[in-house]
Amino acid sequence: MDTAQYVGEIRSQLSDGDVYERLQVNPTQVYKLELDNMIDEALHDGLIDTKLAKYLKVDHPVVPVLYTLPKIHKDLQRPPGRPIVLGRGSLCNKVAIFLDRLLRKFATSAPSYVRDTSDFIRSLEGVQSKMQFLDTCVYKSDGLLHTDLFVKHTDRNNLLHFSSEHPRRMVESLPWSQLLRVRRIVSNDTLVDKRLDEMCLKFLARGYPGTDLAGFKARALSKERVELLGPRVRALTDKRIPFITAYNSLSNQISGVIRRHWPLLSLGHANIQEFQLPPLLSYRRNRNLKDELVVSDIGSSKRELQTTFGRPSLGNFPCLNCACCNNMVKGASFYHPHTGRKYEIRKRYTCKTSFAVYVLSCPCGLYYVGATTMEVRARISKHKSTIRTRRVELPVPRHFHDMGHSVNQLRYRIIDDVPVLRRGGDRVSFLKKKELKWIFELDTLSPRGMNIEYQQSIFL
Ligand SMILES: [Zn+2]
Ligand SMILES: [Zn+2]
């Protein structure tokens, strides 16, 4: 599936006038006023407290984006798209989370609610001949209802590979839980043996040792099916503190260190209940290739207006009309102050660019990374005046004073910016993030550069 096909699918879905309507203006701000009023009223009437009211209000709402997931089980060549609206950061995001939490306890008591496969099998009644639900197929035979494993024809063997870098315990316990699932679902005693073998073959193909699988299979067969179908009794969660990290190759060593030294806390602070048991080590999923490669917002199809003929020239250009033009370093690239790595500037900037990240440099080659929401020339003027007036409590004037540099030796270039956000959101916070990113990328914290600890310099 290529971009053109994807965009075509989205367009055809959006053109359905029964479902979607084209808006002339973005109504977000109007809705925001209404919603904020509603929240204020609820706060005033004592329905919610200040903390909740603050949580529910979204200061810089983003316009949600529609994307689709290809339904490859319908058609592999031209899969129809399942539409999804990504509402993260949108106006109603927090309200939706709040309502979902309130409604959850009612949803589970609705007659149509089916929690999982076991629940489904228990509640089966009056099936005609054959039907599927989740991973289960129900069929009639000899006047009785039977259940069998249901596998979609598009399913592939994508079980976690035995050599995967996932937590060892997770990889090793996977066959057991899957074989138990087969045992639970397949009701026919002769068929279950076949299905268990099929599952074992899948695991063999993914590198799992055969002897372990044979053991798991025998254990699964020895379990009574009725027992497995009973509602799962969860072990009471104890008072252990969860220790949550993203899993990586060092995780085992970290957990070893924690376990080895835990007695320091449990014996040293016998009066603190939480220290008596070692923490519960649990892992958050790391970013994977899909997270890196897949975006829900594929961007605008509109290209930026080109105002010059031929290839647009990139880099820094003086506006030729201000007192800071002379301090600007022209050009479309710059070098890392310590590693010498070359960076390309991929846009065109002038002294009048705003919402920008800039770099100051001095004759000894030290860098200072700053950001401003104003036109950069105004910010540079401020820097120059702090040097002239010897504001030595600030890092740049102090360095210029200490080293005897003159204000004319100050050089600057604009390296990055935050353009107007197409879908809304907090432009200032994006700028702050970019500034921080460049401070660490260019390694400009003192004494490696002229930045001292992160300052909120943007509003100056
Ligand atoms: Zn200028
Ligand atoms: Zn210097």
Side-chain angles (χ1 to χ4, degrees):
M1 184 182 219
D2 58 20
T3 312
Q5 198 187 332
Y6 178 78
V7 172
E9 169 68 22
I10 299 256
R11 281 192 191 287
S12 90
Q13 292 205 14
L14 288 178
S15 65
D16 182 350
D18 290 340
V19 184
Y20 299 102
E21 185 191 339
R22 194 183 186 106
L23 299 178
Q24 297 307 319
V25 287
N26 176 359
T28 308
Q29 284 310 317
V30 180
Y31 292 159
K32 179 172 161 50
L33 274 179
E34 275 183 44
L35 184 63
D36 285 357
N37 281 339
M38 239 183 264
I39 294 168
D40 287 339
E41 266 177 48
L43 177 65
H44 181 259
D45 295 346
L47 296 172
I48 56 176
D49 60 18
T50 332
K51 205 175 147 199
L52 183 55
K54 191 164 177 255
Y55 171 77
L56 293 175
K57 282 189 185 176
V58 178
D59 288 334
H60 300 276
V62 173
V63 176
V65 64
L66 176 111
Y67 68 98
T68 68
L69 292 178
K71 295 196 229 180
I72 51 162
H73 56 287
K74 293 264 170 77
D75 185 344
L76 270 178
Q77 255 56 53
R78 296 193 67 84
R82 181 196 306 281
I84 294 172
V85 175
L86 179 78
R88 201 187 314 154
S90 70
L91 184 60
C92 296
N93 189 192
K94 299 289 174 63
V95 175
I97 293 172
F98 173 62
L99 287 181
D100 183 71
R101 204 163 284 176
L102 282 185
L103 293 175
R104 202 174 298 160
K105 53 177 175 280
F106 300 107
T108 52
S109 56
S112 59
Y113 180 77
V114 180
R115 199 187 63 221
D116 54 16
T117 305
S118 305
D119 193 21
F120 168 68
I121 294 176
R122 262 184 275 121
S123 62
L124 263 184
E125 274 171 34
V127 171
Q128 296 303 316
S129 62
K130 198 176 181 185
M131 66 171 281
Q132 283 107 29
F133 175 76
L134 297 179
D135 55 353
T136 308
C137 167
V138 187
Y139 62 97
K140 239 177 192 168
S141 169
D142 310 326
L144 289 170
L145 282 179
H146 295 274
T147 47
D148 190 7
L149 203 62
F150 172 60
V151 182
K152 281 183 196 154
H153 72 280
T154 47
D155 278 359
R156 298 288 177 270
N157 184 5
N158 51 11
L159 290 166
L160 198 63
H161 199 278
F162 190 67
S163 65
S164 168
E165 284 295 331
H166 279 75
R168 242 17 245 168
R169 211 184 290 168
M170 180 179 155
V171 179
E172 282 161 6
S173 65
L174 192 64
W176 172 238
S177 63
Q178 287 302 304
L179 289 169
L180 217 52
R181 181 172 72 92
V182 175
R183 176 75 182 118
R184 188 163 53 225
I185 289 173
V186 184
S187 60
N188 182 307
D189 284 343
T190 43
L191 196 58
V192 73
D193 204 64
K194 186 170 166 249
R195 292 283 184 254
L196 287 172
D197 282 341
E198 286 167 0
M199 185 58 81
C200 286
L201 282 177
K202 279 187 171 182
F203 275 106
L204 269 179
R206 303 292 283 167
Y208 288 75
T211 43
D212 292 5
L213 293 171
F216 284 139
K217 185 194 158 190
R219 249 175 78 196
L221 277 172
S222 72
K223 291 263 179 193
E224 283 297 328
R225 193 167 161 265
V226 190
E227 198 183 306
L228 297 178
L229 279 173
R232 225 178 302 167
V233 187
R234 285 191 190 279
L236 280 175
T237 42
D238 47 37
K239 287 267 166 71
R240 290 165 70 185
I241 307 170
F243 180 81
I244 307 164
T245 51
Y247 187 79
N248 65 39
S249 53
L250 293 176
S251 291
N252 285 334
Q253 295 181 39
I254 294 170
S255 70
V257 170
I258 292 177
R259 283 210 190 85
R260 203 159 51 244
H261 298 294
W262 195 257
L264 288 177
L265 286 175
S266 57
L267 297 176
H269 298 272
N271 52 336
I272 299 178
Q273 185 68 41
E274 284 77 10
F275 287 170
Q276 296 320 300
L277 289 166
L280 196 66
L281 299 163
S282 49
Y283 301 108
R284 192 186 309 126
R285 185 174 68 80
N286 252 318
R287 281 182 73 76
N288 58 25
L289 277 179
K290 184 189 158 208
D291 296 330
E292 298 289 344
L293 297 174
V294 179
V295 287
S296 46
D297 181 1
I298 63 166
S300 166
S301 56
K302 287 183 201 140
R303 292 275 157 263
E304 275 180 44
L305 268 179
Q306 196 175 322
T307 48
T308 48
F309 290 109
R311 271 181 57 192
S313 32
L314 306 176
N316 281 240
F317 294 86
C319 69
L320 305 176
N321 193 27
C322 80
C324 298
C325 286
N326 281 337
N327 299 92
M328 178 183 256
V329 189
K330 285 172 266 181
S333 64
F334 63 99
Y335 296 92
H336 192 288
H338 307 303
T339 68
R341 184 185 153 187
K342 189 178 182 185
Y343 293 88
E344 303 290 343
I345 297 171
R346 293 176 201 285
K347 283 199 191 166
R348 182 189 169 88
Y349 299 123
T350 73
C351 318
K352 293 180 182 177
T353 302
S354 59
F355 280 89
V357 179
Y358 58 88
V359 169
L360 302 182
S361 53
C362 75
C364 35
L366 285 187
Y367 279 17
Y368 170 91
V369 174
T372 180
T373 58
M374 307 182 294
E375 287 187 351
V376 173
R377 58 179 180 178
R379 188 76 190 89
I380 300 300
S381 292
K382 285 238 162 97
H383 276 298
K384 284 165 78 173
S385 98
T386 59
I387 293 170
R388 269 192 219 102
T389 53
R390 299 195 176 174
R391 297 269 305 276
V392 288
E393 72 277 16
L394 296 171
V396 177
R398 182 168 62 215
H399 175 81
F400 270 65
H401 178 256
D402 289 352
M403 303 303 289
H405 302 329
S406 84
V407 73
N408 295 330
Q409 291 173 305
L410 180 77
R411 291 285 170 271
Y412 81 95
R413 43 165 76 82
I414 301 162
I415 59 167
D416 205 350
D417 74 323
V418 178
V420 176
L421 301 170
R422 200 165 50 87
R423 291 167 49 217
D426 190 349
R427 202 175 171 195
V428 176
S429 116
F430 276 109
L431 184 63
K432 277 183 198 163
K433 277 182 198 150
K434 276 201 167 169
E435 180 188 21
L436 260 189
K437 190 200 99 181
W438 280 111
I439 288 176
F440 287 100
E441 174 69 34
L442 298 177
D443 192 8
T444 63
L445 278 177
S446 175
R448 309 272 290 163
M450 290 180 279
N451 284 98
I452 48 174
E453 79 277 9
Y454 182 60
Q455 315 147 307
Q456 306 257 327
S457 57
I458 283 172
F459 301 104
L460 290 175

